Amino acid sequence: GDSVTQMEGPVTLSEEAFLTINCTYTATGYPSLFWYVQYPGEGLQLLLKATKADDKGSNKGFEATYRKETTSFHLEKGSVQVSDSAVYFCALSEGGNNRLAFGKGNQVVVIP
Amino acid sequence: DAGVIQSPRHEVTEMGQEVTLRCKPISGHNSLFWYRQTMMRGLELLIYFNNNVPIDDSGMPEDRFSAKMPNASFSTLKIQPSEPRDSAVYFCASSSRGANVLTFGAGSRLTVL
């Protein structure tokens, strides 16, 4: 079935550094792609989304581009802040029923 | 809107006890999802409802787990009897059909001793 793979392990970086979190997907059709963020002690929140190939989702300085040729949706931010410390989940929609398949998530820790 | 409301936020219970988790979705949303989050398995979809009807419960671990949605504004996830391996954070999420975006509650952290 449809699935999402995120890079292994936590990410630790200094404030103002460049952040990249890799996400690749496997799907039989043309899914919508999402990044959700989970701050400590909270539920997941939608960060950005893209619904078709070459779309770029963006929010709060984060960007991700739907790349059909490489089946990827990598998350990037040019200059991270301590407040960006959270767990980031890549996800895709399965069909038209709003059901999401999530990756395992990446813990991001930004050090002052 | 107050968002998706879950209760309790934290529950500590002993093995063998019944646990009931509750969820109030966003008014007007017609899809509701129950997820479980653990360090080992990440986020797992347990069950989801469309218009109060269970559509797919293939993620429910075993018969000890059951979920109901008696009306559009309330759902429960019940574990009976509970076991230590059920310890996790359980999330409820809701969406409106066609919106393709889930709104999550803050979660219920369950600890079974």
Side-chain angles (χ1 to χ4, degrees):
Chain A
D2 296 353
S3 65
V4 169
T5 301
Q6 290 183 235
M7 52 194 278
E8 292 287 331
V11 177
T12 302
L13 58 169
S14 299
E15 204 165 22
E16 298 183 2
F18 184 87
L19 170 69
T20 298
I21 305 176
N22 289 341
C23 171
T24 57
Y25 68 90
T26 301
T28 54
Y30 301 95
S32 293
L33 301 173
F34 307 83
W35 278 99
Y36 278 78
V37 58
Q38 183 180 27
Y39 298 103
E42 298 183 12
L44 281 72
Q45 306 172 23
L46 178 68
L47 180 60
L48 53 84
K49 69 174 186 177
T51 57
K52 62 183 187 297
D54 300 325
D55 268 3
K56 177 186 283 187
S58 61
N59 185 25
K60 299 181 181 180
F62 290 89
E63 292 183 341
T65 301
Y66 191 143
R67 301 285 188 200
K68 186 168 179 288
E69 63 275 14
T70 55
T71 62
S72 65
F73 192 55
H74 304 322
L75 182 68
E76 297 180 337
K77 185 173 184 180
S79 176
V80 293
Q81 305 300 312
V82 173
S83 57
D84 294 324
S85 297
V87 181
Y88 293 82
F89 294 89
C90 188
L92 63 77
S93 66
E94 298 177 6
N97 55 21
N98 291 351
R99 174 178 175 157
L100 294 183
F102 285 90
K104 289 191 178 297
N106 286 103
Q107 173 88 47
V108 172
V109 177
V110 180
I111 301 169
Chain B
D1 197 325
V4 176
I5 307 297
Q6 291 188 245
S7 64
R9 289 296 311 276
H10 302 275
E11 172 103 5
V12 180
T13 190
E14 293 186 346
M15 184 172 67
Q17 296 298 306
E18 178 179 294
V19 173
T20 300
L21 308 179
R22 299 172 178 80
C23 175
K24 182 182 186 324
I26 290 176
S27 177
H29 281 189
N30 53 12
S31 295
L32 184 140
F33 304 79
W34 282 101
Y35 283 88
R36 177 171 68 175
Q37 185 180 38
T38 61
M39 289 292 291
M40 293 297 294
R41 297 187 172 188
L43 269 170
E44 302 172 277
L45 177 64
L46 301 178
I47 185 172
Y48 76 96
F49 297 82
N50 278 348
N51 296 320
N52 314 338
V53 176
I55 303 301
D56 185 353
D57 65 354
S58 60
M60 297 286 261
E62 47 199 274
D63 292 346
R64 297 185 297 107
F65 285 69
S66 62
K68 294 182 180 179
M69 192 165 186
N71 57 61
S73 58
F74 184 66
S75 177
T76 59
L77 178 67
K78 185 176 292 187
I79 309 172
Q80 166 64 14
S82 59
E83 297 182 2
R85 60 192 167 125
D86 302 330
S87 298
V89 181
Y90 291 82
F91 287 103
C92 176
S94 69
S95 71
S96 54
R97 182 165 294 170
N100 229 3
V101 173
L102 267 60
T103 301
F104 281 77
S108 295
R109 180 175 294 277
L110 172 65
T111 303
V112 184
L113 303 175

